Amino acid sequence: EVQLVESGGALVQPGGSLRLSCAASEFTFSNFWMSWVRQAPGEGLEWVANIKGDGSEKYLVGSVMGRFTISRDNAKNSVYLQMNSLRAEDTAVYYCVREGGGAYFDYWGQGTLVTVSS
Amino acid sequence: DIQMTQSPSTLSASVGDRVTITCRASQSISSWLAWYQQRPGKAPKLLIYKASSLESGVPSRFSGSGSGTEFTLTISRLQPDDSATYYCQQYKSHYSFGQGTKLEIK
């Protein structure tokens, strides 16, 4: 069974940095686009970033451009989200997600909570 | 950016009922639409992709239809564990989600 396990969530002060990791297993990781999707407390879902299987293409939602970076290490079956200049509005559960054959999100991790507060 | 609008925002129904949730896109997305179920405290789960294709393992009580800008998710023979929030998502141009529909089972 496909598994996605996020880690790295924490309480961080505004302006701080955090790196989220997602360890994938039970599928050929390098064949799939991977995304990060977040959900603020009590709110809906927001796609944040994605990266192609070979890492050659990356996209970010406008609100995080210039602050967040997505990367992957196919040798470690892992995808990362580097978050800099964090703001209160970045507070959310961050989900690591696999993009299925048609770009929909077919597998989700359990999420990791990022809280930005002083 | 493509905006997705769901209705209703909340819905209450009884076990055995059939309910329908509507999702509208701000521009045509062909059939590039998915539906997800999110139970409280859990990650979302894929139900439907390409507007009407049922994900493996999802009960056939769930069905999707539509194309272009208007889509529906229908749940037949409601069960107690269908209580959840349901989201539509377009994946024609990057990704965007509807605001969610919270379904309560009476």
Side-chain angles (χ1 to χ4, degrees), chain A residues 50 71 84 98:
Chain A
N50 69 345
S71 62
N84 299 330
R98 190 182 87 165

Short mmCIF file of all heavy atoms in Angstrom, two decimals, chain A residues 50 71 84 98:
data_model
loop_
_atom_site.label_atom_id
_atom_site.label_comp_id
_atom_site.label_asym_id
_atom_site.label_seq_id
_atom_site.Cartn_x
_atom_site.Cartn_y
_atom_site.Cartn_z
N ASN A 50 4.00 21.87 -6.41
CA ASN A 50 4.23 20.52 -6.92
C ASN A 50 5.53 20.46 -7.69
O ASN A 50 6.13 21.47 -8.05
CB ASN A 50 3.05 19.98 -7.73
CG ASN A 50 2.84 20.67 -9.06
OD1 ASN A 50 3.37 21.74 -9.33
ND2 ASN A 50 2.02 20.05 -9.89
N SER A 71 11.40 20.61 -3.39
CA SER A 71 12.48 19.82 -3.97
C SER A 71 12.22 18.35 -3.69
O SER A 71 11.32 18.01 -2.93
CB SER A 71 13.84 20.24 -3.38
OG SER A 71 13.87 20.01 -1.99
N ASN A 84 10.36 29.64 4.10
CA ASN A 84 11.06 30.78 4.69
C ASN A 84 10.10 31.95 4.86
O ASN A 84 9.01 31.96 4.29
CB ASN A 84 12.23 31.21 3.79
CG ASN A 84 13.26 30.11 3.61
OD1 ASN A 84 13.46 29.27 4.50
ND2 ASN A 84 13.92 30.10 2.47
N ARG A 98 0.39 12.47 -3.55
CA ARG A 98 0.83 11.93 -4.84
C ARG A 98 -0.19 12.31 -5.91
O ARG A 98 -1.40 12.20 -5.69
CB ARG A 98 0.97 10.41 -4.78
CG ARG A 98 1.65 9.83 -6.02
CD ARG A 98 1.73 8.32 -5.97
NE ARG A 98 0.51 7.71 -6.51
CZ ARG A 98 0.43 6.43 -6.86
NH1 ARG A 98 1.48 5.64 -6.72
NH2 ARG A 98 -0.70 5.94 -7.34
#
